[in-house]
């Protein structure tokens, strides 16, 4: 099993910055990709950013040029650096890990961390 724990959420003013962290433990050698999703009240959960084992990254159009996903392999940790935050970025942010077992994918989720953007 893979266990994910997020941290770094909080309250920030519009235009401010936050860095989220996600530390993985367990069978981490099976993880093919990790990413961040977010869910605002009344909305569907959406992909924010993802980074593969090879280092390739993908971002939602709404966060391009403002958010950066990165990883620290030595600490089994993935980060989401968020800059120029907007009120519409407010949501619960969830860390995600994807494991490929043959032809089937398994998703693992963290507990979520709240990001509030308000003046």
């Amino acid at each position: 099993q893979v266990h994910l724990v997020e941290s770094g959420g909080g309250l920030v003013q519009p235009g401010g910055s936050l860095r989220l962290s996600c530390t993985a433990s367990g069978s981490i050698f099976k993880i093919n990709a990790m990413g961040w999703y977010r869910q605002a009240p009344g909305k569907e959960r959406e992909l924010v950013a993802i980074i593969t084992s090879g280092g390739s990254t993908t971002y939602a159009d709404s966060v391009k040029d403002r958010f950066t996903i990165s990883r620290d392999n030595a600490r089994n940790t993935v980060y989401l650096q968020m800059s120029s935050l907007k009120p519409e970025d407010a949501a619960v942010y969830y860390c995600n890990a994807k494991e490929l077992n043959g032809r089937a994918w398994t998703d693992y989720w963290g507990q979520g961390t709240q990001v509030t953007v308000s003046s």
Side-chain angles (χ1 to χ4, degrees):
Q1 293 290 323
V2 174
H3 301 281
L4 305 173
V5 179
E6 305 106 322
S7 63
L11 174 64
V12 65
Q13 294 182 332
S17 299
L18 281 175
R19 189 180 74 162
L20 307 182
S21 300
C22 174
T23 299
S25 61
S27 301
I28 58 176
F29 60 91
K30 297 182 178 180
I31 297 175
N32 297 101
M34 296 185 67
W36 292 91
Y37 291 71
R38 67 186 182 187
Q39 187 168 24
K43 299 183 66 177
E44 296 290 321
R45 186 175 299 186
E46 64 175 353
L47 175 68
V48 177
I50 190 168
I51 185 167
T52 69
S53 298
S56 299
T57 59
T58 301
Y59 297 92
D61 289 340
S62 59
V63 306
K64 281 184 177 294
D65 302 318
R66 298 189 299 119
F67 291 11
T68 301
I69 188 170
S70 62
R71 66 187 184 193
D72 184 337
N73 292 329
R75 297 186 177 185
N76 300 317
T77 300
V78 174
Y79 304 96
L80 185 68
Q81 178 66 52
M82 304 183 293
S83 300
S84 301
L85 282 161
K86 305 175 180 179
E88 52 262 44
D89 294 318
V92 177
Y93 283 71
Y94 296 92
C95 184
N96 169 265
K98 298 183 183 296
E99 172 187 307
L100 180 60
N101 299 297
R103 300 176 64 186
W105 288 94
T106 299
D107 282 291
Y108 300 93
W109 297 94
Q111 82 286 352
T113 185
Q114 177 71 52
V115 172
T116 302
V117 185
S118 177
S119 60

